[in-house]
Amino acid sequence: MDGKRRLARALLRPSTKAQTPPCRRLLSSAPPCCWFAPTRRSVSTTTTRPTLRRFGTTRRSPPAPFDNAIRTRAGTAGSMLVVATISSLAAYFYAESQFLPHTEAESAEPSRKPRYGNALELEKAIFEIRQVASEDTISTDYEDLKAHGYSEWSTTNIDQLPVAVAYPRSTAEVSDIARICHKYRMPMIPYSGGSSLEGNVSAPFGGVSIDFSFMDRVIDIHRSDLDVVVQPAVPWMSLNEELEQHGLFFPVDPGPTAKIGGMVGTNCSGTNAVRYGTMKDWVVNLTVVLADGRIIKTRQRPRKSSAGYNLNSLFVGSEGTLGLVTEITLKLAVKPQETSVAVVTFPTIEDAASAASQVSQTGIPITAMEIMDEVMMSVVNRSGGTCRKWTESPTLFFKFSGSKAGVQENVCQVKDIARVHRASAFEFARDQREQKTLWSARKEALWSMMALRESKGEAVWSTDVAVPLSRLADLIKISKKEMDDLGLFASVLGHIGDGNFHESILYDRTNVAELNAVQKCVHDLVDRALEMEGTCTGEHGIGIGKMADLVKELGHETIGVMSSIKSALDPRWLMNPGKIIAVPS
């Protein structure tokens, strides 16, 4: 408060000569960090003076005449004093709101444009982070910045890069980093696997990328409680290798490079979602560092709880825009007695989709049901990523689990349905080796597509939508026809058992015509899904790539509620800004 009083006195003190107001002197410092953050092409240090906000004035009616000159002079002096006082207080509160720690008023203005730190503040932040952690906790090496601001996996990349990368080793260090970044108004972007597809880890406002690579421990396995406590950089595949000796597994299975932190951030799923659900269904609790460095735990460790708000569901799928997840307790499943895999080919994609729809409606307890069209099967053959050649026809992949008798019965039921829908071949795995072989084509799909890139300009645009099960066959049919009509080299694959559908398109991003055709195809796919009461993304998340689609899907009122939640938890909009919701302008 002493500092605030000194500032107020300075504003009210009469001056004998022209002076620069304190708030203007403060604003004359170096530019916000997003203005000097390096780009992928060059490292820019250009400085720009920010625009000073103008205060409005109020026109008043002329004062009534006074009876004598003495009252006139007194009235004029009084009016000048009132005006001077109001102006000084306005300048004081402006300076306070801009340059002092946030207050309740800051939290109550969700539409206010945030101010991010300048070059001097960034230097101070980096210095303080090294003081509380260690010298190698933070890096400003250009190659590090590029690796954390650009991803070949992502369909959406920008030239802006983060200005530093932090490597914390504990929740306490994450808290210290967040507290310092909050103090100096530095944006924070969480980073675990870096394999997201919608620009989720990009840095449109510069700031600090917080890489959890050193937080990769399995902290505790509670075998009798069927849960495990992990840090965010644990790969899900490594976790399952460790759980195997306990007869347990974690069933959410996205791409092989995914890590638990990113899986929480996007509420990912995978091939097993038709039976086991998505990431949100397997989170028991979260330890989260908030924007100002406070550490919270969303709940205790029982399987169920009705205590307070469901904060798990608030943070799962928030893509790091509400807080930094540093510890996760996950439910586990017991490994089934028997598992098996079947691969079924069909003459047309419509036949395959219709068969999948009937399997779902019959209620056969399958573990996974995936679809790949003839283009994708050809891609897998051309890439040579598997140990066999595949029939290049629309194909369904099934996974079964349960008791030995139950699995055999389910296989027979699926075989009967496939026959009705003109299945041309039905392969059933007889042992673990054959299971891995038959399932390998599905798991290699995206890698196979990316392996076809021949020039530096070629890229793969991978996108997803989800629709009610009854509409999926129609969506696939229309989308394939559009891709063919546009002359695009594109394939269809997806988790057909839960209505989640993917398009992967190979194109030359340096060719404007091709790029426009791809963008049209993707936008049409999203619009078509929304018309069918679907969603613009089933598992990839929003990032920066689908923010406009989210507004189309939910409307401005719902986005406004999300913005209010964001502002309540992160009034300075420092946590992964520019993702899911646009930064207020």
Side-chain angles (χ1 to χ4, degrees):
M1 283 305 293
D2 289 340
K4 295 181 183 180
R5 291 193 184 100
R6 284 197 298 272
L7 179 56
R9 284 199 295 270
L11 289 165
L12 290 167
R13 186 183 300 126
S15 174
T16 57
K17 62 179 182 178
Q19 291 182 325
T20 304
C23 60
R24 186 180 291 274
R25 288 201 300 272
L26 285 166
L27 280 169
S28 298
S29 57
C33 68
C34 62
W35 295 350
F36 68 84
T39 67
R40 289 193 287 117
R41 296 189 181 90
S42 63
V43 180
S44 172
T45 55
T46 306
T47 58
T48 309
R49 181 186 294 273
T51 303
L52 185 67
R53 186 198 299 179
R54 291 175 174 266
F55 288 92
T57 57
T58 305
R59 298 179 68 100
R60 299 185 180 183
S61 302
F66 289 98
D67 294 331
N68 52 61
I70 296 174
R71 290 181 64 191
T72 300
R73 285 194 295 274
T76 302
S79 298
M80 290 176 65
L81 180 60
V82 169
V83 170
T85 302
I86 292 172
S87 300
S88 299
L89 288 173
Y92 161 62
F93 285 118
Y94 174 73
E96 178 189 34
S97 66
Q98 290 295 305
F99 307 107
L100 296 174
H102 81 269
T103 62
E104 291 180 6
E106 184 179 27
S107 301
E109 295 186 50
S111 61
R112 178 180 179 177
K113 182 178 180 179
R115 180 186 76 84
Y116 295 123
N118 57 41
L120 180 60
E121 289 167 317
L122 173 66
E123 288 179 10
K124 290 179 179 178
I126 292 175
F127 175 78
E128 290 190 22
I129 290 171
R130 285 176 173 152
Q131 290 292 105
V132 301
S134 62
E135 184 70 22
D136 61 353
T137 297
I138 195 157
S139 168
T140 55
D141 180 77
Y142 178 71
E143 290 304 317
D144 266 356
L145 304 183
K146 182 179 177 182
H148 288 79
Y150 174 84
S151 170
E152 68 170 359
W153 299 102
S154 181
T155 55
T156 308
N157 279 295
I158 57 176
D159 285 339
Q160 195 77 44
L161 298 178
V163 292
V165 180
Y167 296 92
R169 288 160 171 79
S170 67
T171 295
E173 281 195 7
V174 175
S175 175
D176 288 337
I177 291 168
R179 176 177 52 78
I180 293 166
C181 287
H182 185 265
K183 176 181 176 181
Y184 293 106
R185 296 178 181 266
M186 294 293 133
M188 294 169 269
I189 305 100
Y191 187 101
S192 58
S195 57
S196 53
L197 296 169
E198 293 294 346
N200 313 66
V201 298
S202 61
F205 296 91
V208 179
S209 176
I210 299 178
D211 188 328
F212 292 103
S213 295
F214 293 100
M215 297 179 66
D216 60 351
R217 291 191 303 118
V218 176
I219 297 171
D220 207 352
I221 298 173
H222 303 117
R223 173 67 179 84
S224 57
D225 295 327
L226 299 180
D227 66 47
V228 61
V229 184
V230 300
Q231 291 183 314
V234 172
W236 71 270
M237 293 188 74
S238 299
L239 175 62
N240 274 335
E241 289 173 7
E242 189 163 339
L243 292 172
E244 192 165 5
Q245 61 183 309
H246 300 279
L248 304 173
F249 79 112
F250 178 62
V252 183
D253 63 334
T257 59
K259 298 180 180 179
I260 299 297
M263 292 164 67
V264 169
T266 57
N267 185 28
C268 78
S269 50
T271 63
N272 290 338
V274 64
R275 176 163 183 173
Y276 291 103
T278 65
M279 195 67 188
K280 65 178 171 52
D281 302 308
W282 292 87
V283 173
V284 176
N285 64 43
L286 301 168
T287 298
V288 183
V289 174
L290 300 180
D292 57 6
R294 286 177 294 156
I295 302 170
I296 67 166
K297 196 162 189 172
T298 55
R299 49 169 283 188
Q300 294 295 324
R301 207 166 50 84
R303 279 280 176 130
K304 60 189 289 189
S305 172
S306 294
Y309 295 144
N310 185 354
L311 295 181
N312 283 349
S313 290
L314 185 63
F315 288 102
V316 175
S318 66
E319 300 182 26
T321 61
L322 302 179
L324 302 168
V325 176
T326 61
E327 200 171 286
I328 309 101
T329 303
L330 299 168
K331 300 176 189 175
L332 300 175
V334 177
K335 289 195 74 172
Q337 176 188 354
E338 182 80 6
T339 61
S340 192
V341 168
V343 176
V344 192
T345 57
F346 295 85
T348 68
I349 197 75
E350 292 85 356
D351 290 324
S354 298
S357 179
Q358 188 174 343
V359 169
S360 297
Q361 293 168 16
T362 305
I364 301 171
I366 53 173
T367 300
M369 181 165 58
E370 301 288 299
I371 191 168
M372 291 168 60
D373 69 356
E374 69 281 2
V375 177
M376 183 53 76
M377 298 307 295
S378 171
V379 166
V380 172
N381 282 337
R382 288 166 62 183
S383 71
T386 64
C387 60
R388 58 166 284 179
K389 286 291 182 181
W390 302 87
T391 302
E392 295 178 4
S393 299
T395 304
L396 288 180
F397 294 79
F398 292 93
K399 200 186 289 184
F400 307 91
S401 63
S403 67
K404 188 166 289 190
V407 167
Q408 289 176 349
E409 181 183 356
N410 295 337
V411 169
C412 290
Q413 289 177 304
V414 168
K415 193 171 185 178
D416 290 341
I417 292 173
R419 190 179 296 115
V420 171
H421 292 276
R422 303 195 300 160
S424 49
F426 189 101
E427 291 186 73
F428 169 60
R430 290 177 291 272
D431 54 37
Q432 286 287 336
R433 185 185 61 78
E434 286 190 5
Q435 285 182 41
K436 288 184 178 179
T437 300
L438 290 180
W439 200 253
S440 62
R442 175 59 188 93
K443 297 308 285 185
E444 291 291 327
L446 180 57
W447 280 261
S448 298
M449 194 74 166
M450 295 187 76
L452 295 184
R453 296 174 299 175
E454 295 178 352
S455 67
K456 191 174 181 180
E458 286 192 332
V460 175
W461 192 307
S462 180
T463 191
D464 84 312
V465 296
V467 293
L469 294 175
S470 62
R471 303 306 308 273
L472 188 58
D474 294 335
L475 180 64
I476 291 174
K477 180 180 179 181
I478 298 169
S479 299
K480 269 195 69 65
K481 183 178 186 307
E482 181 178 28
M483 289 188 293
D484 292 341
D485 291 346
L486 288 172
L488 298 172
F489 185 80
S491 64
V492 166
L493 70 158
H495 317 305
I496 195 167
D498 57 11
N500 191 192
F501 162 65
H502 300 249
E503 282 183 358
S504 290
I505 308 169
L506 183 68
Y507 70 105
D508 183 355
R509 57 189 165 201
T510 64
N511 184 317
V512 176
E514 274 194 32
L515 178 60
N516 290 338
V518 171
Q519 290 175 336
K520 179 183 185 308
C521 185
V522 171
H523 292 153
D524 288 349
L525 171 67
V526 171
D527 289 344
R528 202 173 295 122
L530 297 182
E531 289 170 5
M532 295 178 175
E533 298 182 90
T535 178
C536 63
T537 175
E539 59 183 3
H540 292 176
I542 298 297
I544 58 177
K546 287 193 171 179
M547 285 168 55
D549 298 324
L550 184 65
V551 177
K552 282 188 207 173
E553 180 176 336
L554 300 178
H556 290 285
E557 293 299 325
T558 303
I559 299 299
V561 172
M562 292 183 182
S563 183
S564 296
I565 293 170
K566 164 77 171 169
S567 295
L569 290 175
D570 179 20
R572 296 182 175 183
W573 286 69
L574 300 177
M575 306 305 292
N576 210 6
K579 317 296 168 57
I580 301 181
I581 308 168
V583 172
S585 57

